[in-house]
Amino acid sequence: LGVEIRYGVRAGADVTVASLRAEGFAAVLVAVGAQRPKPLGLAGENAAGIVDGVTFLRSVREGRPIPVGPRVAVVGAGDTAMDCARSALRVGATEVSLVYRRTIDQMPADREEIHAIREEGVRIVELARPVGLRVADGRLSAVTCVRTAYGGPRDASGRKVPRDVPGSEHDLAVDTLIVAIGQEADLGVFGSTAPALTPAGFVASDPETLETSIAGVYVAGDVGSHGPASIVRAAADGKRAAAAIAGSLGTAALAAATDQAGTAATVTAVDAPTSLPGDLTPGERRALVARRAHRAYRVPVRTSALDDRGGFAETVLGYTEDEAVREASRCLDCDRMCSLCVGVCPNVALMTYASVPLRAGLPVLALRDGAPVCLGSVPFRVDQGLQVAVLTDLCNECGDCVTACPTAGRPYADKPRLYLDRTDFEAEASNAFMLLGDGAIEARFDGRTHRLDVVTPHTGGRLEYAAPGFRATLDRDSLRLLELEPTEAEDGDLLPLEPAAVMATILAGVTGSLPHIPVAGEGGTRVAAPGH
């Protein structure tokens, strides 16, 4: 793809955000992770026999494990701490204790990891907090801990708060202490221009664009606001930041793209969509409803015998073919029909509507020298035959749908939101739709109002789309672009058609399968407050 990779470059020493800016880069994405171990902050922490968790695990992975004594204590309760405890057993420790200031049920590590360390004989010391280190002749001999107990109000996240128990200090004799209480980010790449940070010390960023307090500088992954998380979260950050950067570059990026795509002033039509077999037959729907009425528990994953866990061979053995089939059969086909949120909504604000599955290619258009130029096409897909919409006038955002959602989503906020009250509609920046009757719909995207009208002459149906900056006509059934007229757009502006496709899909689906849904008027729909 033409990406330049510079090897042997150290962030913060050989390259900084300022030096990249000086080279002419319009945007910078910082994704340096959180590789600096968080210390305990106790006197004597540099003594022999004390090592941070990430360094220890790296040494094990590289085949040259840092030597540990027979008695090892691990401080922490996340997945890194679990890995340290299990690895310590495999490289020579005979007694491993995991020290945690809360109780087991509060541990953030995966349940499977906690089960594994208990199986393998790791002792979990609950409600204990290290407060001192016993060091003799430069080497650790014991960790002084204090007992803790829950008390007082919960913290901001709702968790119980452990508090020290006076007079409960005691020593835990150890030969090696592995500290795995979290990681911090090395922010040297920012140089002398420090960005705004979160209270936890990570780089604060816009939740949608991931842009930092420094304009044009973005963060992704563990260095970002959420701190250390998963690979999946980091990958999602990368995609979100890339989209935001591409959108922010605007005219310069479009000029480069049009130089490569040519300067033809005509707009290239796209192929008609291909229907997909995405809907369920009545028989399949009945069978799925019946299947959902019975709970099927997860098929347990087989693991190796404890006597076979002396080394680093895999302990999770996976499924046999029969087990894999049984586990897969538990799928509820939510990608084809879900509507669990509809069933639990006490206000009947969420509704299922039918949509015709399709695939289409929408032209990517930009204005150049007063004429639209096609830079390529982007796919538009509607795969699921049954969709969900929210009638916002009936929704009080109680959260029942969030609890029921199998994908951990927020249906009341994520699904298309239909408005009857114009004041409420215009107060929304995005994901707001208003059915106007007579085949018309308005929507809000990025703080601007778009309108789509369905016109059905004798020669065939078409869509009249009025967007900020241009007007377009599309074929109603295929979404093929027929005409486009710039209005207030300027050279370099994008002329996106995706909003029109979204509006057309929602309009056709809701009006076609939910005829009882009221349309909005120009006035408000709220009930007036009673007089005194």
Side-chain angles (χ1 to χ4, degrees):
L1 297 179
V3 175
E4 176 193 354
I5 302 176
R6 301 181 184 179
Y7 297 98
V9 176
R10 191 174 185 85
D14 304 317
V15 64
T16 65
V17 169
S19 69
L20 292 171
R21 285 286 186 78
E23 288 187 50
F25 288 101
V28 176
L29 173 65
V30 176
V32 296
Q35 303 180 41
R36 178 179 290 173
K38 186 179 294 184
L40 286 171
L42 302 178
E45 199 163 351
N46 294 324
I50 303 175
V51 61
D52 72 87
V54 173
T55 299
F56 174 68
L57 290 177
R58 183 179 292 117
S59 73
V60 171
R61 178 65 183 86
E62 293 175 351
R64 44 176 185 80
I66 294 173
V68 299
R71 299 170 300 178
V72 174
V74 179
V75 182
D79 289 334
T80 299
M82 305 298 147
D83 290 345
C84 289
R86 299 179 71 185
S87 296
L89 285 173
R90 287 160 169 78
V91 297
T94 58
E95 179 184 314
V96 177
S97 300
L98 189 141
V99 181
Y100 183 45
R101 64 194 182 107
R102 300 178 186 268
T103 47
I104 292 178
D105 62 294
Q106 296 289 307
M107 286 183 169
D110 289 340
R111 297 296 97 182
E112 291 87 350
E113 294 278 358
I114 298 172
H115 176 72
I117 68 167
R118 300 179 78 176
E119 262 193 333
E120 294 176 8
V122 174
R123 173 192 173 205
I124 299 180
V125 183
E126 300 177 278
L127 297 172
R129 185 175 71 86
V131 294
L133 302 171
R134 300 286 186 185
V135 178
D137 298 326
R139 172 165 288 276
L140 179 71
S141 62
V143 179
T144 301
C145 297
V146 63
R147 291 292 178 191
T148 61
Y150 292 132
R154 294 176 180 251
D155 62 18
S157 65
R159 300 177 74 191
K160 298 176 182 178
V161 177
R163 304 183 187 282
D164 294 348
V165 176
S168 63
E169 290 82 359
H170 62 284
D171 286 348
L172 177 65
V174 296
D175 302 297
T176 305
L177 176 66
I178 301 175
V179 181
I181 58 174
Q183 290 128 249
E184 299 174 331
D186 185 339
L187 304 180
V189 70
F190 288 98
S192 60
T193 306
L197 303 180
T198 67
F202 297 100
V203 180
S205 63
D206 183 280
E208 296 298 325
T209 66
L210 302 186
E211 187 174 19
T212 69
S213 59
I214 305 173
V217 179
Y218 303 76
V219 289
D222 293 353
V223 70
S225 299
H226 51 70
S230 65
I231 293 175
V232 174
R233 182 69 179 269
D237 281 358
K239 291 184 176 182
R240 182 177 293 111
I245 291 170
S248 71
L249 295 182
T251 304
L254 285 173
T258 52
D259 285 341
Q260 295 178 1
T263 57
T266 57
V267 177
T268 304
V270 298
D271 294 335
T274 302
S275 294
L276 301 176
D279 203 3
L280 293 166
T281 66
E284 289 175 325
R285 197 172 303 173
R286 286 192 297 271
L288 180 55
V289 171
R291 184 149 44 98
R292 285 178 171 171
H294 300 83
R295 172 175 289 182
Y297 289 95
R298 175 183 177 185
V299 178
V301 176
R302 294 180 301 116
T303 57
S304 62
L306 291 176
D307 291 340
D308 297 331
R309 298 192 194 178
F312 288 92
E314 291 282 354
T315 61
V316 178
L317 304 180
Y319 288 137
T320 64
E321 182 177 351
D322 177 67
E323 289 170 336
V325 170
R326 286 193 289 121
E327 174 64 12
S329 69
R330 300 193 311 121
C331 174
L332 298 181
D333 291 322
C334 292
D335 62 315
R336 303 184 71 188
M337 184 185 83
C338 185
S339 296
L340 293 178
C341 57
V342 175
V344 302
C345 180
N347 297 338
V348 200
L350 289 101
M351 304 160 292
T352 300
Y353 67 93
S355 187
V356 177
L358 61 85
R359 286 179 181 171
L362 301 175
V364 177
L365 305 171
L367 194 65
R368 186 169 188 185
D369 297 330
V373 175
C374 182
L375 307 179
S377 66
V378 293
F380 178 77
R381 299 178 54 163
V382 180
D383 290 341
Q384 191 166 323
L386 296 173
Q387 305 279 349
V388 173
V390 186
L391 190 58
T392 58
D393 288 62
L394 300 182
C395 177
N396 64 353
E397 302 185 2
C398 65
D400 281 2
C401 60
V402 178
T403 303
C405 183
T407 64
R410 299 186 304 155
Y412 76 89
D414 302 336
K415 302 301 182 182
R417 293 171 58 84
L418 307 179
Y419 285 79
L420 297 176
D421 188 275
R422 178 160 292 279
T423 301
D424 290 346
F425 168 76
E426 293 179 348
E428 297 296 316
S430 296
N431 193 21
F433 302 88
M434 179 176 282
L435 303 177
L436 302 176
D438 296 326
I441 183 174
E442 289 186 359
R444 298 279 291 172
F445 294 95
D446 298 323
R448 306 288 295 276
T449 299
H450 300 235
R451 181 181 175 109
L452 188 78
D453 289 87
V454 179
V455 182
T456 311
H458 297 298
T459 57
R462 68 178 190 272
L463 304 173
E464 298 290 346
Y465 175 47
F470 70 99
R471 295 178 179 274
T473 302
L474 299 92
D475 180 78
R476 183 188 62 184
D477 299 320
S478 68
L479 299 183
R480 180 187 294 272
L481 179 63
L482 303 176
E483 298 177 6
L484 187 140
E485 176 190 359
T487 54
E488 300 175 358
E490 299 179 353
D491 271 8
D493 286 350
L494 283 174
L495 311 174
L497 295 177
E498 290 93 335
V502 171
M503 295 165 69
T505 301
I506 293 174
L507 178 63
V510 173
T511 57
S513 58
L514 298 175
H516 60 281
I517 297 300
V519 298
E522 291 302 317
T525 59
R526 294 177 177 172
V527 177
H532 296 287

